[in-house]
Amino acid sequence: MEKENKNFMEKNKKQVIAIALALVLLIGGSYAWLSVTLKGTKKVRIEAGTLSLVLNEGNAINVSDSVPMSDVDGLATDAYTFSLQNNGNVTSEYTIYLDDASIDSADERFDDSALKYSLKKNAEASTTALLSTLQDSNGKRVLETGTIEAGVTNTYSLNLWIKDEATNDDVQTTTDGNTIGKVFAGKLRIEASQVKE
């Protein structure tokens, strides 16, 4: 009888360990499924479980062949427009990054301190500042961090321009005796995860 009890306990112990291991794998796998990154290319859609985000992009994000201008003139330039939709049924936390896009090897990139930006979300007032103020502690440009509920669409308008106080060194460079203007090219990246209940 004692031997039967030991065998019974041994079998139960193995079953409990197997169930615990399955739960750990299920929870870890669910978290991996519900964490996503969207990288800017025209109309990106990612679905993971019940979390579904769509990034709809507009025209290119770039500054080239431009001159320094006031904030009033900068805000009047053609805006880069995009939207973020949560088509799933769970709330999502997200961060929108503005990463560098590739430029021609002959070009030189603007320093962020020479450029200004304005970001407008939905009908809210826009934020205007130097592009360099967007950098986080890791040197990444963070346009916005927030939470988007299921069924919600946020629309954005982004303007970039050369600051009015820019010097010749800020806007141009000399290579091989030729003076060429600097350029900026960017792309969006969105990292999102399901809000933990």
Side-chain angles (χ1 to χ4, degrees), residues 17-34:
I17 291 172
I19 290 171
L21 182 59
L23 284 173
V24 168
L25 290 173
L26 178 64
I27 291 169
S30 295
Y31 177 76
W33 271 84
L34 296 172

Side-chain angles (χ1 to χ4, degrees), residues 56-74:
N56 291 313
E57 296 183 276
N59 49 322
I61 307 174
N62 61 44
V63 176
S64 61
D65 299 326
S66 186
V67 295
M69 60 184 73
S70 67
D71 289 354
V72 171
D73 292 335

